[in-house]
C-alpha cells in the first residue's frame, strides 16, 4: 500500500528505529492457560497474512513476501522472585526495553510477544507489532480475536472464528 511504501522509505532514512512499533499491554488476572494463550496467538498469525509478511527491496521497489508459516514464541519473564514493591517498576522497565527494540522488516514476523509474570495470578502480556503490518484498527481486531480464541481453547473447543473472506493484500 502507499502507507507501507512511505514507511519503507522512512525506515531507509532512519534504519533500526522503533518509531513505528505499536505496543499493546494487556493486564491479565486469574489463572492463565499458557497453552491456550500460545494456541490463540498461533491461530491469529495463521489467519492474517499481514502478520506473516516480510519486506525487501528488489530493483529499487518494495516487495512483500507472505510466509506460509512463522514461529512466534511467547517469551516469558518471571518476576515473582522480586520483592512485590519492585515487580511493576521492573516490568515497566522491561516493557520499555521491549517496545523500543526495532524490527528487521526483512524478517517475518513483524510481531513479538512477551509475558511478564508478576504474581501467581497476575500477568502483563505485551504484544508489539510494526506499523507495516498493523494499525489501531488491527490491534482492536487482534484483541477481539484473541479473546474469542483464548476462551475457546481454554475450554478445549476449536476455533469459532469463520475463515476470512479477504486479506490485507487483497486491498
Amino acid at each position: 500500500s502507499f502507507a507501507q511504501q512511505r514507511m519503507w522509505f522512512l525506515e531507509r532514512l532512519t534504519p533500526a528505529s522503533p518509531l513505528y512499533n505499536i505496543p499493546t499491554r494487556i493486564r491479565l488476572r486469574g489463572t492463565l492457560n499458557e497453552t491456550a494463550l500460545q494456541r490463540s496467538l498461533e491461530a491469529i498469525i495463521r489467519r492474517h497474512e499481514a502478520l506473516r509478511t516480510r519486506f525487501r527491496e528488489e530493483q529499487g521497489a518494495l516487495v512483500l513476501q507472505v510466509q506460509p508459516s512463522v514461529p512466534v514464541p511467547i517469551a516469558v519473564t518471571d518476576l515473582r522472585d522480586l520483592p512485590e514493591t519492585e515487580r511493576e517498576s521492573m516490568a515497566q522497565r522491561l516493557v520499555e526495553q521491549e517496545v523500543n527494540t526495532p524490527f528487521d522488516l526483512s524478517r517475518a514476523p513483524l510481531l513479538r510477544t512477551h509475558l511478564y509474570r508478576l504474581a501467581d495470578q497476575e500477568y502483563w502480556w505485551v504484544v508489539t507489532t510494526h506499523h507495516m503490518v498493523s494499525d489501531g484498527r488491527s490491534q482492536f481486531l487482534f484483541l477481539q480475536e484473541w479473546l474469542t480464541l483464548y476462551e475457546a481453547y481454554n475450554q478445549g473447543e476449536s476455533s469459532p472464528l469463520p475463515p476470512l473472506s479477504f486479506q490485507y493484500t487483497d486491498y
Side-chain angles (χ1 to χ4, degrees):
S1 71
F2 177 73
Q4 288 172 320
Q5 290 175 15
R6 184 180 68 238
M7 277 185 270
W8 179 261
F9 174 76
L10 293 172
E11 174 71 20
R12 293 294 167 244
L13 289 177
T14 57
S17 169
L19 184 62
Y20 289 101
N21 289 3
I22 302 174
T24 302
R25 185 185 78 179
I26 305 160
R27 182 177 287 244
L28 304 169
R29 290 193 174 129
T31 303
L32 180 66
N33 180 335
E34 291 184 42
T35 301
L37 181 68
Q38 182 70 49
R39 283 187 66 205
S40 58
L41 176 63
E42 291 168 356
I44 290 170
I45 291 168
R46 276 192 310 273
R47 193 171 157 72
H48 296 279
E49 288 179 353
L51 298 176
R52 299 188 320 272
T53 300
R54 67 187 189 109
F55 299 85
R56 62 185 177 79
E57 193 170 330
E58 189 173 288
Q59 298 177 346
L62 176 61
V63 176
L64 64 89
Q65 294 179 317
V66 177
Q67 305 301 295
S69 67
V70 291
V72 182
I74 299 174
V76 178
T77 299
D78 193 338
L79 301 172
R80 293 178 293 180
D81 288 341
L82 294 175
E84 191 173 343
T85 56
E86 296 176 23
R87 293 178 193 165
E88 283 204 22
S89 60
M90 175 59 84
Q92 188 60 45
R93 284 193 298 275
L94 293 170
V95 167
E96 287 296 320
Q97 182 180 346
E98 169 67 29
V99 302
N100 286 308
T101 301
F103 283 95
D104 176 353
L105 300 181
S106 68
R107 300 184 65 179
L110 297 179
L111 174 144
R112 290 189 299 263
T113 65
H114 204 119
L115 183 67
Y116 298 91
R117 189 175 288 128
L118 281 80
D120 288 340
Q121 295 196 359
E122 185 174 359
Y123 307 84
W124 288 1
W125 188 38
V126 178
V127 179
T128 308
T129 56
H130 193 280
H131 199 30
M132 286 285 277
V133 297
S134 185
D135 59 14
R137 174 73 178 123
S138 301
Q139 293 303 99
F140 179 74
L141 179 63
F142 178 94
L143 289 174
Q144 281 184 316
E145 289 187 0
W146 171 71
L147 285 169
T148 300
L149 290 165
Y150 178 82
E151 184 177 289
Y153 294 151
N154 192 41
Q155 296 177 16
E157 299 171 1
S158 59
S159 170
L161 299 176
L164 295 174
S165 56
F166 64 93
Q167 295 284 333
Y168 184 75
T169 53
D170 297 325
Y171 165 75

